[in-house]
Amino acid sequence: MFEFITDNEDRGQVGIGTLIVFIAMVLVAAIAAGVLINTAGFLQSQAEATGQESTDLVSERIDVTSEVGIVGNASNGTLNEIRISVAGAAGSDQIDLSETTIEAVGPNGQENLVFVNPTGVDNISASEYAVLDGDSQLTIVLNPDVSPFGSSSEPFGESDTSSLEIVSPSSATTSISLDSPDLYEEDGEAVRL
């Protein structure tokens, strides 16, 4: 009925050494699983942040609808002001122009331009006044008598060119070129740039 094993080679190995090896394998597997779970969580959060940044770069872009110069003196060939009409790109959230930068390169150098409250609206903060949403359109007015467009002795005018990069708060960039016509006809006229 009972069988006695007399051969030592048919006996199983049981002991403290085997138990230690088994516990070590379980610990290594648990540590590896923890590392994998932490890495997966980190990669997921990083992918979500990158996706949001990419969406912002596309959807929070500023569209330029027109670039116009108002002739100050046709005989001198100079502009009185440069008007750039802007709107939010299709599907964009609100874009605060007070946080927007315009990187301008003109005949008189390079400047980074920032938003300034218009005259007469001191009681309204810049962030309330200059916000683009899906339905609004605003006009940015630039002075052609100052750097980088020109100087008081030689303002931006006939045949002058300038390039602008409008950088939104989410770093979406819109590039435009201002190319003034070769000849102005009358004072006060609007010319396409």
Side-chain angles (χ1 to χ4, degrees):
M1 205 161 167
F2 290 105
E3 200 175 310
F4 292 101
I5 300 175
T6 55
D7 189 3
N8 284 340
E9 290 189 24
D10 288 341
R11 243 176 103 213
Q13 279 286 342
V14 178
I16 192 84
T18 305
L19 184 60
I20 290 172
V21 169
F22 176 73
I23 291 172
M25 288 174 39
V26 169
L27 286 175
V28 167
I31 291 170
V35 168
L36 287 174
I37 290 171
N38 285 343
T39 302
F42 172 74
L43 290 175
Q44 179 183 1
S45 64
Q46 189 175 14
E48 288 174 358
T50 302
Q52 184 61 43
E53 287 174 13
S54 298
T55 300
D56 289 347
L57 283 174
V58 173
S59 68
E60 292 190 18
R61 194 174 52 81
I62 296 171
D63 282 340
V64 175
T65 57
S66 71
E67 307 119 32
V68 175
I70 306 300
V71 176
N73 188 331
S75 60
N76 290 343
T78 59
L79 294 176
N80 200 22
E81 58 185 36
I82 299 169
R83 297 180 182 176
I84 301 169
S85 295
V86 294
S92 66
D93 293 331
Q94 290 187 340
I95 301 171
D96 186 357
L97 289 182
S98 67
E99 299 293 323
T100 299
T101 303
I102 299 175
E103 298 170 359
V105 177
N108 200 25
Q110 185 271 336
E111 294 284 336
N112 288 332
L113 310 174
V114 293
F115 179 83
V116 178
N117 261 354
T119 308
V121 289
D122 293 335
N123 58 343
I124 300 174
S125 74
S127 60
E128 291 172 0
Y129 181 76
V131 175
L132 288 173
D133 56 23
D135 299 327
S136 66
Q137 182 170 333
L138 297 173
T139 301
I140 299 171
V141 179
L142 302 172
N143 186 349
D145 295 337
V146 297
S147 179
F149 306 107
S151 63
S152 57
S153 62
E154 193 176 325
F156 190 84
E158 293 174 339
S159 302
D160 285 336
T161 61
S162 179
S163 63
L164 305 176
E165 287 194 358
I166 302 172
V167 183
S168 72
S170 65
S171 297
T173 302
T174 302
S175 298
I176 61 172
S177 179
L178 303 176
D179 299 311
S180 185
D182 294 334
L183 185 61
Y184 301 150
E185 294 182 15
E186 61 184 76
D187 294 356
E189 76 172 315
V191 293
R192 181 175 293 163
L193 299 178

